[in-house]
Amino acid sequence: MLTFILKKLFYGLLVLLGVVLLVFILFQGFGDPARLVMGQTGNAATEAAIRKELYLDQPKSSQFFHYLNDISPVSFYRRSDWKERAVGGIALGGERVLVLKTPYLRRSYQTKRPVGAMLLQALPGTLLLALAAMLIAVLIGIPLGMLAAVRKGSWVDSTAIFTSILGISAPSFFMGIIIAYLFGFVLSDWTGLSLTGSWSAIDMNGQRRLTLQNLILPALTLGIRPLAIITQLTRSALLDVLQQDYIRTAYAKGLSRSAVLWRHALPNALNPVITAITGWFAELLAGAFFIEYIFGWQGIGKLTVDALEKLDFPIVMGAVLLSATFFIVINILADILYGIVDPRVRVK
C-alpha cells in the first residue's frame, strides 16, 4: 500500500507541475504586472524596482523557474532575500541557501498582502460550504437511491429518476439565481433566509459569531447536482448487486431484508458512489465560484472572482493551484477508501 500511495503522489506531482506551467502561461501574458502593482502613480525607478522584484527583467523561462521556486516547499534563494519569500522557513547553507518553507504565492497586486494568507483566510468559508453541500447530497442521495432500487418500477422509483435527471440537467448558477430569488427574496418573510450573507458576522459586542442560517441556500444550491448523481449511482449499483448469488444466499440463511441491504448489498455497491462523492467534493471546492458570488458567501470563489475583475492575477493563480492540489489529494484518498470499503480492490 505504501508503494501504491507513493506512486500516486508522484503522478499527482507531475499533474500539479503541468497545472503550474499552464497557469503561468495563461496569466503571465495578460497586462503589465509592474503597472498593475504600481497603479496610476509612480516613476521609472519604482517601476524598475518592481520589475526586478517580480523577475520581469528576465526571459520568460527564467520567470517560470523563479515562480516554480517560490511555490515549491523546497527552494533555493540568496541569503539576502529569502526571508521575504519564505516566511517562517528554515534556511540551510551559505550565500545560496536551501529553504524549507510553505509555498510562496507572491503578493496581491491590489492589497500587497501575501496571496497565501488571503487564501487561507477565505478557505474556511469554502470548506464549510462544500462540506454542507456534500452532507446534504450524501444523507439524501444514498437513502433515496436505495429506496428507488428496492422499489424498482414503482412511483417512488420513477419520481427519483425524474428529479435526479432534472438535478443533473440544471446548471448550478441558474439554480442559484432561482433559489436565491425565490427563498431569499420572494418568500423571505416565511423562510427567514436572506439573499446574501457569509458564515460569520459581528454582533453588538463586536464579537465574531457563526451564522449558519446563511449557509442553507448556497449549500442547497451547490448540493443539487451531486445529490442527483449519487441517487442515480446508488440505484444502479444496488440493482446490480441485488442480482448476485451471495445476496440470494444471505436471504436463504434467514437474514432480514434490512440486514442484507445494509451489511451485504450496500458496502459492495459503494465503489462508484465513493468515486462520485470524492470527485464531487473536489469539484465543489473548486467550482463554488459562481454560487459564492451569487449569495455573497465569503470564500475562495468570491475572492477569485473579485480578483479577476481587478486583474489581480497572483490571487487567481494561487486559487487555481490550491484547487488542483485539492483534486489530487482527494483522488488519492478515494483510492485508499476503495481498499477500506471493498476488500476486492485492496493492494497487497
Side-chain angles (χ1 to χ4, degrees):
M1 180 62 80
L2 180 60
T3 304
F4 172 75
I5 294 173
L6 291 176
K7 187 182 295 185
K8 284 289 184 179
L9 287 173
F10 175 71
Y11 291 149
L13 287 175
L14 291 180
V15 173
L16 195 58
L17 181 61
V19 173
V20 171
L21 178 60
L22 182 62
V23 165
F24 183 84
I25 292 173
L26 285 176
F27 293 105
Q28 286 297 98
F30 288 101
D32 185 351
R35 288 287 181 182
L36 292 172
V37 173
M38 188 172 56
Q40 299 298 323
T41 60
N43 51 35
T46 303
E47 183 177 352
I50 293 173
R51 288 185 177 280
K52 184 177 180 181
E53 180 187 357
L54 299 178
Y55 307 111
L56 299 175
D57 56 344
Q58 300 182 21
K60 285 289 185 181
S61 58
S62 298
Q63 293 180 36
F64 172 72
F65 285 111
H66 280 300
Y67 183 69
L68 190 61
N69 190 55
D70 281 343
I71 65 175
S72 172
V74 181
S75 307
F76 293 92
Y77 291 110
R78 293 188 183 91
R79 182 167 288 277
S80 56
D81 61 1
W82 74 271
K83 289 186 178 180
E84 168 64 22
R85 299 173 181 272
V87 178
I90 301 174
L92 305 171
E95 179 60 27
R96 297 284 295 183
V97 294
L98 173 68
V99 182
L100 306 177
K101 61 178 179 61
T102 56
Y104 175 62
L105 301 175
R106 305 282 174 90
R107 289 183 176 272
S108 166
Y109 290 161
Q110 302 295 325
T111 65
K112 309 301 186 293
R113 292 179 58 198
V115 171
M118 297 177 69
L119 291 175
L120 286 177
Q121 184 178 357
L123 182 60
T126 299
L127 282 175
L128 182 61
L129 178 58
L131 284 170
M134 188 51 66
L135 190 64
I136 291 172
V138 170
L139 292 182
I140 299 177
I142 291 179
L144 187 59
M146 291 180 65
L147 186 62
V150 171
R151 299 189 179 182
K152 181 184 176 183
S154 67
W155 67 269
V156 175
D157 184 27
S158 302
T159 303
I161 294 175
F162 178 72
T163 53
S164 62
I165 291 174
L166 286 181
I168 294 171
S169 304
S172 296
F173 67 88
F174 173 75
M175 293 302 298
I177 294 172
I178 297 299
I179 289 176
Y181 176 74
L182 186 62
F183 296 101
F185 180 72
V186 176
L187 302 176
S188 60
D189 292 338
W190 288 271
T191 62
L193 302 174
S194 58
L195 190 62
T196 60
S198 189
W199 60 282
S200 63
I202 306 296
D203 60 17
M204 299 293 293
N205 299 322
Q207 300 293 324
R208 185 171 293 276
R209 59 182 178 84
L210 198 63
T211 53
L212 293 181
Q213 183 182 8
N214 296 327
L215 179 64
I216 296 174
L217 293 184
L220 179 62
T221 304
L222 200 60
I224 287 176
R225 295 192 73 189
L227 166 61
I229 291 174
I230 288 172
T231 301
Q232 288 274 30
L233 286 176
T234 304
R235 176 186 179 275
S236 300
L238 200 58
L239 283 174
D240 181 62
V241 169
L242 289 175
Q243 304 302 316
Q244 302 299 316
D245 291 337
Y246 64 88
I247 298 296
R248 287 190 287 270
T249 302
Y251 278 121
K253 290 169 64 177
L255 294 179
S256 64
R257 190 176 191 182
S258 61
V260 171
L261 285 174
W262 290 99
R263 290 170 52 189
H264 296 277
L266 184 61
N268 292 309
L270 279 181
N271 267 0
V273 180
I274 290 174
T275 302
I277 291 172
T278 54
W280 268 99
F281 183 68
E283 179 74 21
L284 295 181
L285 286 172
F289 287 20
F290 291 108
I291 302 303
E292 290 183 7
Y293 194 74
I294 290 170
F295 290 96
W297 185 263
Q298 298 298 323
I300 292 178
K302 190 172 188 304
L303 178 67
T304 305
V305 174
D306 291 340
L308 276 171
E309 292 179 348
K310 300 173 184 176
L311 303 180
D312 203 343
F313 295 130
I315 295 179
V316 181
M317 295 167 72
V320 172
L321 293 180
L322 184 62
S323 300
T325 304
F326 273 124
F327 267 108
I328 293 168
V329 172
I330 290 175
N331 283 330
I332 293 173
L333 292 176
D335 291 333
I336 296 172
L337 279 175
Y338 290 153
I340 296 175
V341 174
D342 192 347
R344 294 173 298 177
V345 297
R346 284 179 186 167
V347 179
K348 301 296 183 183

